[in-house]
Amino acid sequence: QWLSRSEIVSPRSIVVFIGLSGLLLGVYFGLRELYVPSGWRRAASSAVPVGVMAKNAILYAAAMLSPVDMVLANEWVNAPLPPEMTSRLSWAVGYGVLILLTSLGVTLLILRWLRMENSASDQRAVVLLILGTVLPLSTLLLFQSHPSETYLYLPAAFFAILVSYALAKVLSSANGKTLTNSYSLIVVLLTVLFASATWARNKRVSHCAETAHRILSELPRKELSTGGWSILFANIPGESGTRHYGFYGFRGIHTIVH
């Protein structure tokens, strides 16, 4: 209902959205040219290949379509982190099936929505949300060869609103209380899952920082304050090894070595 209001999603608002996006990109490129003028030559010499862009697009789409966060799944049921998928194929197949089912559900939802009689304000809302999802991703695919979850905050926010908007429209057209309650249940469930995932990720990053602080604070600072020193670190025999995945799997001295 909020998105459907014509004064919120008007042609003018879409033009303003595109203009502000262009302005922000212009500021970015201007600052880059001012402070990193040689970066353009490096970027041109190492252009992202089409195959890499396609692979990254699939990874970004899968990340936004997955209803289960991988770090949270690792926290709760010791599921493998993404780099460990190749050695635990059953989990990889399970993740793949889950994402395919979610993709199918979202596709059927949007197709059902498109078959409905949508008002002009609905159509403008869809255009706005699609632009908000696609534009940030397009720049990443063109200029960044290494995919990262860090880049997905803005596209994921617009995509979540798009899917929620479509779900609300489809369910409200049925005029059924059960379907309306289903929408509320889905939103609450996803909110709990995503909030839990955010908490689990932040807790692991905090634990990583605490470990690094503990190791570094135990160094003999007085002895190291003068002269040149070569310091070697070693893991304690038998301690659990690092499971590399961003900041979420470091153990022991890997928290400071990496």
Side-chain angles (χ1 to χ4, degrees):
Q1 293 176 352
W2 179 77
L3 279 171
S4 299
R5 291 166 55 188
S6 58
E7 64 269 21
I8 293 177
V9 188
S10 63
R12 181 181 177 182
S13 65
I14 295 178
V15 172
V16 170
F17 174 80
I18 297 174
L20 288 175
S21 301
L23 178 62
L24 290 175
L25 285 175
V27 171
Y28 166 76
F29 287 124
L31 292 174
R32 185 182 178 90
E33 177 64 24
L34 181 63
Y35 293 103
V36 196
S38 60
W40 298 115
R41 292 191 294 273
R42 289 199 298 267
S45 62
S46 59
V48 180
V50 176
V52 175
M53 285 193 288
K55 183 194 73 173
N56 290 345
I58 294 173
L59 290 176
Y60 285 134
M64 289 195 294
L65 286 167
S66 176
V68 178
D69 182 80
M70 292 185 175
V71 176
L72 182 64
N74 175 256
E75 181 85 10
W76 283 358
V77 296
N78 198 31
L81 294 169
E84 303 168 339
M85 287 292 182
T86 54
S87 60
R88 301 173 70 177
L89 293 179
S90 59
W91 283 96
V93 172
Y95 275 128
V97 171
L98 177 63
I99 292 173
L100 285 176
L101 291 175
T102 307
S103 303
L104 179 61
V106 171
T107 301
L108 293 176
L109 173 67
I110 293 178
L111 289 176
R112 171 73 181 277
W113 184 24
L114 292 176
R115 287 196 294 266
M116 297 168 55
E117 292 184 4
N118 295 312
S119 64
S121 59
D122 286 335
Q123 297 170 2
R124 292 193 294 266
V126 174
V127 172
L128 179 66
L129 294 173
I130 291 177
L131 287 175
T133 304
V134 173
L135 286 180
L137 280 179
S138 61
T139 56
L140 295 174
L141 295 174
L142 289 173
F143 301 113
Q144 181 59 257
S145 61
H146 178 68
S148 174
E149 295 174 340
T150 308
Y151 308 137
L152 280 181
Y153 289 114
L154 184 59
F158 277 99
F159 181 71
I161 297 173
L162 174 64
V163 174
S164 177
Y165 186 48
L167 184 63
K169 286 292 182 179
V170 170
L171 293 181
S172 63
S173 66
N175 293 322
K177 185 176 180 180
T178 302
L179 294 179
T180 303
N181 291 337
S182 299
Y183 170 80
S184 302
L185 179 62
I186 292 171
V187 171
V188 170
L189 177 62
L190 291 178
T191 301
V192 170
L193 283 176
F194 295 158
S196 300
T198 302
W199 179 268
R201 285 168 175 262
N202 290 344
K203 185 176 68 173
R204 290 197 176 190
V205 174
S206 176
H207 176 72
C208 181
E210 290 171 357
T211 302
H213 181 268
R214 184 173 66 252
I215 294 173
L216 294 176
S217 63
E218 292 177 357
L219 293 176
R221 286 176 289 180
K222 290 184 178 180
E223 289 81 354
L224 297 176
S225 60
T226 58
W229 295 83
S230 295
I231 303 175
L232 301 178
F233 295 92
N235 286 316
I236 299 174
E239 82 170 328
S240 57
T242 288
R243 304 169 72 178
H244 290 282
Y245 182 57
F247 291 102
Y248 309 115
F250 287 126
R251 297 288 185 276
I253 62 171
H254 285 116
T255 57
I256 58 174
V257 175
H258 295 276

